[in-house]
Amino acid sequence: MSSKDQNLDRQTASLKKEKVFRIFTDTVSGSSTQRLGLDGALNYVRAGDQLIVVSMDRLARSLIDLHRLVDELTERGVSVKFLKEGQVYSQDSTPVAKLMLGLLGSVAEFERAIIRERQAECIAKAKARGVYKGRAKVLNEEQIIQARTWVGGIPKAEVARRLGIGRTTLYKYLNQ
């Protein structure tokens, strides 16, 4: 559903109003199709089920992925309901419904592109004013020193696990 910095309460509240049986969430960007919550939902639903999604941009960030996912689900006999857009898609969807999927999906993709553009502009302005600090540091100096001592005799993957970070992040700090 959302990146890990976002609060899922608003989205889960709207799903609970629908009296859903099970809620799947993601804490990675919707732009990725490799999401545990999405994979879980796709594996869970069966023919005759209805997958309820808060909005199209929560399921997919590109029109191609949106069409692929909706087509895959409807071919399996699963209907897909988008709350924000007020649309339901199934095997029985009319050509007009398929047109609406394309139109609304295009609008969602366009909105996301505009948001990213505005975000980049705001970051550039903040950098120019000297107030943009970037992403917060994951490790402090003490942890970096500890990591460097561990790397001498412990595999880097284990060092990263002990610190609660990914290997790529560990390598970034070790190369500083």
Side-chain angles (χ1 to χ4, degrees), residues 62-111:
S62 76
L63 186 58
I64 292 168
D65 285 339
L66 179 65
H67 274 287
R68 183 184 56 76
L69 288 167
V70 170
D71 288 346
E72 175 187 318
L73 288 162
T74 56
E75 285 171 10
R76 291 173 38 197
V78 176
S79 66
V80 182
K81 179 178 182 179
F82 295 102
L83 298 179
K84 179 180 173 189
E85 293 82 4
Q87 298 287 307
V88 178
Y89 300 93
S90 68
Q91 287 178 324
D92 303 328
S93 290
T94 65
V96 173
K98 291 178 182 177
L99 173 65
M100 290 301 295
L101 178 67
L103 289 172
L104 294 171
S106 294
V107 169
E109 187 175 0
F110 175 71
E111 284 178 337

Side-chain angles (χ1 to χ4, degrees), residues 10-144:
R10 178 185 55 82
Q11 294 174 50
T12 54
S14 64
L15 290 170
K16 286 178 182 174
K17 287 180 190 174
E18 292 290 314
K19 295 182 173 52
V20 297
F21 184 71
R22 184 156 182 201
I23 296 177
F24 295 88
T25 61
D26 278 312
T27 55
V28 295
S29 171
S31 62
S32 170
T33 56
Q34 302 300 311
R35 301 177 301 191
L36 291 176
L38 175 61
D39 292 342
L42 294 176
N43 291 327
Y44 184 80
V45 293
R46 302 286 181 257
D49 288 348
Q50 183 174 63
L51 178 66
I52 301 175
V53 184
V54 174
S55 66
M56 289 180 178
D57 67 337
R58 298 290 95 193
L59 183 63
R61 294 286 171 92
S62 76
L63 186 58
I64 292 168
D65 285 339
L66 179 65
H67 274 287
R68 183 184 56 76
L69 288 167
V70 170
D71 288 346
E72 175 187 318
L73 288 162
T74 56
E75 285 171 10
R76 291 173 38 197
V78 176
S79 66
V80 182
K81 179 178 182 179
F82 295 102
L83 298 179
K84 179 180 173 189
E85 293 82 4
Q87 298 287 307
V88 178
Y89 300 93
S90 68
Q91 287 178 324
D92 303 328
S93 290
T94 65
V96 173
K98 291 178 182 177
L99 173 65
M100 290 301 295
L101 178 67
L103 289 172
L104 294 171
S106 294
V107 169
E109 187 175 0
F110 175 71
E111 284 178 337
R112 182 67 192 144
I114 295 297
I115 289 169
R116 283 203 326 268
E117 188 176 276
R118 287 182 185 148
Q119 184 181 34
E121 288 172 4
C122 289
I123 289 171
K125 287 178 183 178
K127 283 181 179 178
R129 290 192 322 267
V131 296
Y132 183 77
K133 305 293 186 215
R135 180 176 272 180
K137 301 287 185 203
V138 178
L139 300 179
N140 60 36
E141 286 301 317
E142 187 177 302
Q143 291 171 312
I144 296 169

